[in-house]
Amino acid sequence: MGIDLKAGGRRTGHKSSSKVIKTQNPYIRLLIRLYQFLARRTGSAFCATVVKRLHMSKVNQPPVGLNRLAKSMMNKDDKTAVVVGKVTDDVRMLECPKLSVCALAFTEGARKRILAAGGECITFDQLALRAPKGSNTVLLRGPKSRKALAHFGHSTSVNNPHTHDGVKPYVRSKGRKFEKARGRRRSCGFKV
């Protein structure tokens, strides 16, 4: 008696991404071990989320600008902003408010401005000592808008023909002779 497999077979190995630490950075490897321990022993959802984000690739750890950070931390004076990624300076912002920020890295300008405003820049190991369960923290992340995302779309179906609306094709140039035939106009077969 065989097993009825779906086309393409079973999804094997899709859970392994957070079991094996892919980065060679010793600091991040230690942080993952520390927060995995905290997540297991405290049952804290904050620690589990931090572990998940530490496992992510660089593309999925977008930087956060000071302006976005200041907006998100408005009226949250006693809390610490936590960013699993880099904090960058924003020259468009004239004055930086007093912030307490924990991040993987800070640009030189961002660190200087936060400290000049009387704030503090702390690391994740310092945060683990201060707030092991993530109390009084605000977990933030930057905008995931990179050029490649414009080309990503979902598979089209008869039920939902609009999944490719606004999906940018990889075309040499935009013109009458470039990918404008079947599938791209009503008069030739169909249009998506």
Side-chain angles (χ1 to χ4, degrees):
M1 206 168 94
I3 317 164
D4 187 14
L5 292 180
K6 285 185 178 142
R10 289 170 301 151
R11 287 181 66 210
T12 55
H14 63 282
K15 289 183 182 167
S16 63
S17 63
S18 57
K19 283 182 183 165
V20 179
I21 303 173
K22 291 190 179 67
T23 178
Q24 293 306 308
N25 182 334
Y27 176 62
I28 290 180
R29 289 178 84 92
L30 285 170
L31 280 184
I32 288 173
R33 288 178 66 181
L34 167 67
Y35 275 90
Q36 263 174 345
F37 172 81
L38 286 172
R40 192 178 74 245
R41 293 297 289 269
T42 62
S44 155
F46 169 82
C47 293
T49 308
V50 168
V51 168
K52 191 172 72 181
R53 291 190 190 175
L54 283 169
H55 270 290
M56 287 179 182
S57 60
K58 202 98 177 248
V59 157
N60 294 318
Q61 289 178 354
V64 179
L66 262 186
N67 193 30
R68 183 180 287 266
L69 207 59
K71 263 188 206 162
S72 306
M73 297 306 289
M74 213 175 273
N75 307 323
K76 295 176 188 167
D77 303 330
D78 55 336
K79 298 199 172 192
T80 305
V82 179
V83 179
V84 183
K86 196 171 204 167
V87 172
T88 55
D89 192 9
D90 196 336
V91 289
R92 297 166 297 182
M93 192 169 71
L94 298 174
E95 52 208 47
C96 178
K98 186 182 175 185
L99 295 167
S100 173
V101 189
C102 168
L104 285 177
F106 295 87
T107 60
E108 207 177 316
R111 188 185 290 275
K112 209 178 278 182
R113 287 184 73 176
I114 291 168
L115 295 174
E120 56 174 356
C121 302
I122 63 170
T123 57
F124 274 93
D125 41 318
Q126 289 170 314
L127 181 74
L129 292 170
R130 193 183 294 189
K133 286 185 173 183
S135 51
N136 283 338
T137 58
V138 181
L139 196 54
L140 302 169
R141 54 179 161 182
K144 269 171 71 172
S145 55
R146 60 194 181 99
K147 202 178 168 199
L149 293 176
H151 299 285
F152 297 168
H154 308 289
S155 58
T156 49
S157 65
V158 179
N159 307 334
N160 185 8
H162 298 294
T163 49
H164 268 67
D165 290 2
V167 174
K168 197 176 190 179
Y170 290 103
V171 187
R172 188 158 49 110
S173 53
K174 189 175 165 70
R176 178 186 58 80
K177 296 187 285 187
F178 301 95
E179 298 191 16
K180 284 278 194 281
R182 182 178 179 277
R184 274 298 178 192
R185 51 178 154 167
R186 295 249 175 268
S187 59
C188 296
F190 66 101
K191 184 181 187 307
V192 289

